[in-house]
């Protein structure tokens, strides 16, 4: 097996493992508890990503483009989670108000950091990795009939 093919299979394997973990531990539980349009879009993108990885392993041409599109799934979820958390902080203010359970600010920020490290950063990394690994666009083909063609 050539070194380039081994590298492609390794890249696809790493991404398949991540997309299965992402779908199993993030998307599916959230879909079961509170389905939304965002989660459906992220689940569809994750499926496209998985199909692209399988296509890359099988040697299907242009499957790297599917991987690039699908890798936006964790980035989409991570950015929306970050926006929701920032909006919560804007609306609720600090956790120092009376009525907030002790330690709630710590838990809030620990979950936020976990979302950044486990969802947003890998999403950006995979998107960058797939964009850098795109294959070259094939040259355009001439669709005009040749001069020797005898059409009547």
């Amino acid at each position: 097996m050539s070194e380039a093919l081994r590298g492609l299979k390794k890249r696809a394997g790493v991404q398949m493992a991540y997309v299965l973990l992402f779908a199993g531990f993030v998307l599916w539980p959230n879909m079961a508890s509170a389905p939304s349009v965002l989660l459906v879009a992220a689940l569809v993108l994750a499926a496209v990503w998985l199909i692209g990885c399988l296509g890359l392993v099988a040697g299907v041409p242009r499957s790297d483009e599917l991987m690039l599109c699908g890798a936006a799934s964790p980035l989409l979820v991570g950015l929306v989670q970050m926006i929701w958390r920032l909006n919560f902080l804007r609306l609720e203010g600090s956790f120092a108000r009376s009525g907030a359970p002790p330690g709630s600010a710590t838990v809030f920020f620990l979950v936020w950091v976990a979302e950044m490290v486990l969802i947003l950063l890998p999403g950006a990394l995979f998107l960058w990795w797939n964009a850098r690994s795109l294959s070259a666009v094939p040259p355009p083909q001439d669709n005009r009939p040749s001069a020797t063609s005898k059409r009547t």
Side-chain angles (χ1 to χ4, degrees):
M1 186 183 312
S2 73
E3 191 65 34
L5 185 59
R6 188 175 301 130
L8 285 175
K9 290 191 182 222
K10 181 181 177 185
R11 182 176 76 132
V14 166
Q15 292 191 37
M16 273 194 283
Y18 180 79
V19 74
L20 290 174
L21 289 171
F22 174 67
F25 289 112
V26 176
L27 295 178
W28 193 252
N30 285 321
M31 281 292 291
S33 66
S36 68
V37 173
L38 170 77
L39 288 174
V40 171
L43 196 60
V44 168
L45 284 172
V48 166
W49 193 6
L50 186 61
I51 290 169
C53 291
L54 292 172
L56 191 66
V57 169
V60 176
R62 315 305 295 167
S63 58
D64 53 350
E65 293 173 357
L66 292 175
M67 289 176 62
L68 177 62
C69 292
S73 180
L75 196 62
L76 174 72
V77 172
L79 286 174
V80 168
Q81 287 287 54
M82 186 174 64
I83 290 168
W84 286 342
R85 291 203 182 272
L86 289 172
N87 189 40
F88 176 80
L89 286 177
R90 183 184 64 83
L91 293 176
E92 297 297 323
S94 70
F95 289 96
R97 293 181 185 184
S98 61
S104 61
T106 306
V107 172
F108 178 86
F109 287 111
L110 285 177
V111 170
W112 195 357
V113 167
E115 286 172 350
M116 296 292 224
V117 170
L118 299 174
I119 297 172
L120 187 62
L121 290 179
L125 173 73
F126 287 132
L127 195 68
W128 175 79
W129 193 14
N130 289 333
R132 300 263 308 157
S133 301
L134 280 176
S135 58
V137 177
Q141 296 179 354
D142 192 15
N143 291 336
R144 295 179 298 160
S146 65
T148 59
S149 175
K150 304 234 190 258
R151 288 192 176 178
T152 55

